[in-house]
Amino acid sequence: MRNPPLSLYIHIPWCVQKCPYCDFNSHGLKSALPEKEYVAHLLDDLAEDAKLIGDRTVETIFIGGGTPSLFSSQAMADILHGVKQRVNLSDSAEITMEANPGTVEAGKFAGFYQAGVNRISVGIQSFQPKHLNVLGRIHNESQAENAVKQAHSAGLPTFNLDLMHGLPEQSVENAMSDLQQGIALNPYHLSWYQLTIEPNTPFYSRPPELPDDDILWDIQEKGHALLEAAGYHQYEISGYAKPGHQCQHNLNYWRFGDYLGIGCGAHGKVTDTQNGTINRLVKVKHPRGYMEISRPYLDTKTLVQEDDLPFEFFMNRFRLVEPCPISDFSDFTGIALSTEVQKALVDANRQGLLSISDNHWQVTAKGRRYLNSLLSCFV
C-alpha cells in the first residue's frame, strides 16, 4: 500500500441566505462575520490534524462553503499563510475558492489572487431570473457576468463556473441557453450538474415540479454535445474542462485520495501511515460549538471497515472518464481484490457498464449513464 495524494478542504459556513436546494453545512449570516476569530480556530484545527499526516505534502486546497467570498482578501491571506506554517504545501498547489457573484464587488478577485488563491469557482447556477429566483440565489445575470469578467481581468490562471440543469419548469431550450451563455464567457472549466432534491432542505419538504426523465436525458445529451463542441471535455460525471484545466482537488477525491477537512462540519479521509487503515473524520458542525475554545474540533472519527472499502473506492473512482489503473485498488485501499469483487467487475463488464483490460478498468458511456446500476454491482 502507498500513501495516496493529500489535499486540504477548508469550510467557511456563512452565506447571505440559505438556498432551498442546499444540504451543505451553511448558515445565513445574522450578525457581523466573526472573521478573525474563525480564522484562528481554523488554524488551530489544522494544527491538530497535521499530527495525522507527518511530513506528507498537501497538493491542493479547496475553500468551500457557505460563501467564502464573504471573507476579505486579508483573511484569505492569513489562512493560507497559516496553512504554510503548519503543513508542507506543494509549491505548485492548486488553491481554489468558491465565490457567489452577489458577494463580489469590484477588485475582490484580484485581492484573493494576491492572497494566494489561484483558482476561483463562481456559483452562477443559472442566468435566467425565474430560475435564479426559485433557487434562492442572491445575484442577477449582470452580477454573474461581472464576476466572470473580474476573474479574467484578475489574471487568474484558471477558474470555474458552476451551472445547474434539470431546474423546476426548465425546458431543453432554457438549459441550452444557460449553457451557451456560460460558454460565451470563456471559463477554463465548467461544472454542469443536475439539480437533485436532498433530505433536510426546503425543496425536500416542498418539492418543486422538475422536468421528466425524457427531458432530463435530452438536456444531458444536447448539453454534452454543446460542451464538447466548444472544447470542454468531460472528465467526470459533472466536470468539463479545457485541456489542462481539470480541477486537481476534485480529481484527488474521485481517485480515492486523502484529504484533511478543517472548519465546522468539515469531513476528512486520512490513511494511517503506520498500519494502512483509513479513517473518516467529521468536525463539530455548528459554528457556535466549533468556536468554543473548550470544545475539541473533532466530532467523530470512524474507521472504514474492510468490507466497505471496495464500494467506497468504486463509488468515487467510477465517476471519472479516465481509465483506472487496477493497481490503484490495492495501493489505495490496502486490500487485495477478493473473488467477490472480481465477480462484480466481470458482471459489470458483461452488462456493458465497464471495460476491462490487463491493467485498467474504464467506465463505458453506458456505465456513465447508468452509474447507479454500475455501483450496485459492488453493494
Side-chain angles (χ1 to χ4, degrees):
M1 183 176 187
R2 59 188 168 96
N3 285 329
L6 178 66
S7 294
L8 169 63
Y9 175 75
I10 301 172
H11 191 71
I12 309 290
W14 294 281
C15 48
V16 175
Q17 68 180 27
K18 181 94 170 175
C19 298
Y21 60 86
C22 177
D23 68 335
F24 295 153
N25 183 32
S26 58
H27 304 264
L29 194 60
K30 297 176 182 177
S31 58
L33 196 62
E35 195 173 77
K36 289 185 177 180
E37 181 185 5
Y38 191 69
V39 169
H41 282 285
L42 284 175
L43 297 177
D44 285 346
D45 188 359
L46 180 58
E48 288 297 309
D49 272 10
K51 299 171 185 175
L52 304 172
I53 61 169
D55 61 356
R56 294 173 66 187
T57 298
V58 172
E59 305 289 348
T60 69
I61 297 175
F62 196 101
I63 305 166
T67 306
S69 53
L70 286 171
F71 271 36
S72 66
S73 56
Q74 183 59 56
M76 289 299 160
D78 291 343
I79 290 171
L80 295 176
H81 177 71
V83 168
K84 291 174 184 177
Q85 290 181 317
R86 289 160 177 79
V87 298
N88 293 326
L89 181 64
S90 169
D91 291 338
S92 59
E94 174 193 86
I95 303 175
T96 302
M97 189 197 78
E98 290 184 329
N100 185 322
T103 64
V104 179
E105 64 267 17
K108 204 165 187 182
F109 283 170
F112 290 136
Y113 185 29
Q114 188 174 7
V117 173
N118 55 30
R119 185 177 184 272
I120 296 282
S121 182
V122 186
I124 290 176
Q125 317 313 357
S126 176
F127 292 97
Q128 299 175 39
K130 68 175 182 178
H131 292 135
L132 289 169
N133 182 59
V134 77
L135 292 173
R137 305 298 288 170
I138 64 169
H139 67 272
N140 57 35
E141 178 183 358
S142 63
Q143 287 173 314
E145 292 180 348
N146 176 63
V148 179
K149 289 175 184 175
Q150 274 204 56
H152 278 296
S153 63
L156 287 157
T158 191
F159 66 89
N160 168 66
L161 301 188
D162 266 358
L163 289 174
M164 298 175 72
H165 62 89
L167 307 178
E169 299 181 17
Q170 187 178 46
S171 65
V172 177
E173 292 73 24
N174 288 156
M176 294 308 100
S177 175
D178 270 346
L179 208 45
Q180 287 165 339
Q181 200 161 345
I183 290 168
L185 293 171
N186 198 30
Y188 299 96
H189 185 288
L190 267 163
S191 295
W192 190 57
Y193 54 97
Q194 183 179 324
L195 172 66
T196 56
I197 306 300
E198 303 293 346
N200 303 314
T201 65
F203 272 4
Y204 187 80
S205 55
R206 297 182 299 280
E209 186 173 346
L210 301 181
D212 64 34
D213 287 345
D214 287 340
I215 292 175
L216 289 174
W217 181 241
D218 205 10
I219 288 173
Q220 289 177 24
E221 280 196 315
K222 286 188 165 72
H224 176 80
L226 186 63
L227 285 159
E228 290 282 343
Y232 294 92
H233 302 300
Q234 185 180 31
Y235 68 100
E236 63 102 5
I237 292 295
S238 304
Y240 291 79
K242 292 185 175 179
H245 290 278
Q246 295 92 339
C247 177
Q248 297 304 308
H249 186 89
N250 284 347
L251 277 173
N252 190 42
Y253 284 155
W254 309 138
R255 289 171 178 160
F256 208 56
D258 278 356
Y259 50 95
L260 300 178
I262 64 169
C264 55
H267 290 234
K269 169 190 169 284
V270 183
T271 302
D272 189 311
T273 56
Q274 300 301 313
N275 59 28
T277 57
I278 297 171
N279 287 283
R280 294 199 175 275
L281 300 86
V282 182
K283 302 301 173 61
V284 172
K285 187 172 183 179
H286 199 279
R288 281 197 303 271
Y290 181 84
M291 291 192 288
E292 287 176 1
I293 297 173
S294 61
R295 184 172 184 172
Y297 300 108
L298 183 64
D299 186 35
T300 61
K301 180 179 179 181
T302 307
L303 176 69
V304 181
Q305 299 299 316
E306 188 171 310
D307 288 348
D308 295 328
L309 281 169
F311 180 76
E312 289 219 10
F313 178 85
F314 293 123
M315 178 180 65
N316 286 280
R317 201 56 180 74
F318 286 167
R319 286 183 62 99
L320 295 175
V321 172
E322 68 181 20
C324 172
I326 292 174
S327 58
D328 278 5
F329 179 84
S330 295
D331 283 349
F332 290 174
T333 65
I335 60 175
L337 276 173
S338 66
T339 302
E340 183 180 7
V341 171
Q342 289 176 329
K343 286 181 178 177
L345 290 163
V346 170
D347 185 41
N349 174 250
R350 181 184 56 78
Q351 295 181 56
L353 304 171
L354 188 72
S355 66
I356 302 175
S357 69
D358 289 343
N359 299 310
H360 294 87
W361 303 306
Q362 186 165 22
V363 181
T364 63
K366 181 180 177 182
R368 288 196 294 276
R369 180 175 181 180
Y370 299 107
L371 184 59
N372 287 339
S373 296
L374 171 58
L375 295 178
S376 69
C377 296
F378 304 94
V379 175

